């Protein structure tokens, strides 16, 4: 990356895709341990500069792109929840999965445009976090209604709400570490790097490591969940059941994982050095 004195980046109208990669994707972007999604590292960061270039040419601001990201995430949940069955449910699941991919793309693009235009801001970070909350919660609620078989009350719809609450609480637990440290006059990131994240108890540390290796918590993430919903809907079509059996199994699974993960995440934070 060039230094401040030799940064001669072109204007947004004359920028090339190579310029977006250079100035919008700083070194180490793909290696951010807790912020960069595996799909971003695998393929989306290779595609996003083309769309960031297009967004700049069209005059979009970073925050406008973030609002579009939010809209795609919420729309994915609405589409998945549509009261259809059989092959109709497969199409809504496919629509939800496509919308989540667009959501992920825009999540990459808004940051790249902000870095290129030097328009990064606290408000932008806030909106980005809200977008992630809304998208995951919407998709989980949509899954609950899909399992219920329509927009009506029932056990599966309530399980979707439980899973959505769990997903929101997990994010709130993470974010409130920063809030608690700020209110106590401490820097946002604890000293010690990865050591600060590890629980002081050996037993809890081993349990955390095992859970991390199994990665079961990922099934409540928007990208992974959208693909699982699509797979479950396809299985229901193949089985030809009168009720969305596979979707219902998935709904139970994500509700259990959300509740367990909420508790484990809370214990892991309290047992670590993050609040010290």
């Amino acid at each position: 990356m060039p230094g401040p004195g030799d940064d001669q980046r072109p204007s947004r109208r004359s920028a090339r895709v190579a310029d977006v990669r250079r100035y919008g994707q700083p070194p180490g972007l793909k290696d951010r341990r807790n912020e960069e999604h595996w799909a971003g590292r695998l393929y989306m960061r290779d595609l996003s500069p083309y769309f960031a270039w297009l967004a700049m040419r069209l005059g979009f601001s970073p925050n406008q792109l973030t609002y579009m990201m939010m809209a795609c995430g919420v729309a994915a949940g609405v589409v998945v929840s549509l009261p259809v069955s059989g092959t109709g449910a497969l199409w809504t699941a496919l629509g939800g999965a496509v919308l989540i991919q667009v959501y992920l793309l825009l999540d990459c693009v808004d940051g790249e445009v902000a870095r290129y235009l030097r328009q990064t801001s606290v408000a932008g970070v806030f909106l980005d976090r809200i977008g992630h909350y809304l998208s995951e919660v919407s998709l989980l609620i949509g899954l609950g209604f899909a399992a219920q078989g329509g927009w009506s009350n029932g056990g599966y719809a309530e399980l979707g709400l439980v899973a959505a609450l769990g997903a929101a609480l997990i994010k709130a637990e993470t974010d409130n570490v920063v809030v608690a440290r700020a209110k106590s006059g401490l820097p946002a990131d604890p000293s010690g790097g990865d050591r600060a994240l590890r629980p002081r108890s050996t037993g809890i540390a081993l349990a955390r490591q095992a859970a991390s290796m199994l990665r079961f918590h990922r099934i409540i993430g928007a990208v992974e969940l959208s693909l699982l919903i699509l797979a479950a809907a396809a299985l229901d079509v193949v089985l030809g059941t009168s009720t969305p059996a596979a979707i219902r199994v998935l709904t139970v699974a994500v509700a259990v994982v959300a509740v367990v993960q909420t508790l484990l995440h809370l214990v892991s934070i309290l047992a670590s050095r993050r609040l010290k």
Side-chain angles (χ1 to χ4, degrees):
M1 291 289 289
D6 56 354
D7 184 352
Q8 302 294 328
R9 68 188 68 185
S11 68
R12 65 185 301 158
R13 297 288 183 181
S14 57
R16 300 169 301 168
V17 174
D19 297 319
V20 176
R21 290 190 191 279
R22 185 183 185 192
Y23 298 106
Q25 292 187 346
L29 181 69
K30 292 184 179 182
D31 300 325
R32 297 180 300 176
R33 182 169 178 244
N34 294 320
E35 295 184 40
E36 190 66 18
H37 194 274
W38 61 264
R41 291 191 297 270
L42 185 62
Y43 60 89
M44 198 59 82
R45 286 293 180 186
D46 295 326
L47 298 175
S48 58
Y50 295 96
F51 291 90
W53 169 83
L54 180 61
M56 290 197 300
R57 296 279 297 195
L58 294 175
F60 286 106
S61 71
N63 284 354
Q64 287 173 335
L65 293 166
T66 304
Y67 286 125
M68 291 166 63
M69 178 196 81
M70 291 183 188
C72 286
V74 173
V78 173
V79 169
V80 165
S81 75
L82 292 175
V84 294
S85 59
T87 55
L90 179 59
W91 283 110
T92 57
L94 178 60
V98 170
L99 283 166
I100 289 298
Q101 289 298 310
V102 177
Y103 149 84
L104 178 61
L105 173 64
L106 291 169
D107 189 30
C108 295
V109 168
D110 64 356
E112 290 170 3
V113 171
R115 283 186 288 271
Y116 190 94
L117 299 178
R118 299 188 185 93
Q119 292 180 2
T120 56
S121 65
V122 175
V125 175
F126 175 79
L127 287 174
D128 187 74
R129 296 298 299 171
I130 293 297
H132 292 310
Y133 274 69
L134 284 174
S135 299
E136 290 194 5
V137 165
S138 297
L139 192 59
L140 286 162
I141 293 174
L143 172 62
F145 282 117
Q148 190 64 36
W151 293 337
S152 60
N153 294 329
Y156 292 103
E158 291 167 1
L159 283 176
L161 291 171
V162 168
L165 176 60
L169 285 174
I170 292 167
K171 289 188 176 298
E173 289 169 356
T174 300
D175 290 345
N176 273 290
V177 171
V178 178
V179 173
R181 292 182 64 84
K183 285 183 174 289
S184 301
L186 298 172
D189 296 320
S191 59
D194 287 347
R195 285 185 64 253
L197 302 178
R198 299 174 191 150
R200 288 164 289 177
S201 166
T202 303
I204 296 177
L206 289 173
R208 180 177 181 272
Q209 185 176 4
S212 179
M213 290 175 61
L214 293 172
R215 302 186 185 279
F216 70 92
H217 60 283
R218 283 191 170 178
I219 72 170
I220 58 175
V223 175
E224 292 85 352
L225 180 59
S226 67
L227 298 176
L228 288 171
I229 293 172
L230 179 57
L235 182 58
D236 280 331
V237 171
V238 171
L239 295 176
T241 55
S242 58
T243 58
I247 289 288
R248 289 181 172 181
V249 170
L250 178 61
T251 303
V252 173
V254 296
V256 171
V257 167
V259 171
V260 172
Q261 183 65 14
T262 301
L263 296 174
L264 291 179
H265 191 52
L266 177 62
V267 171
S268 177
I269 290 172
L270 292 174
S272 71
R273 298 174 178 83
R274 280 178 272 189
L275 299 177
K276 300 295 182 182

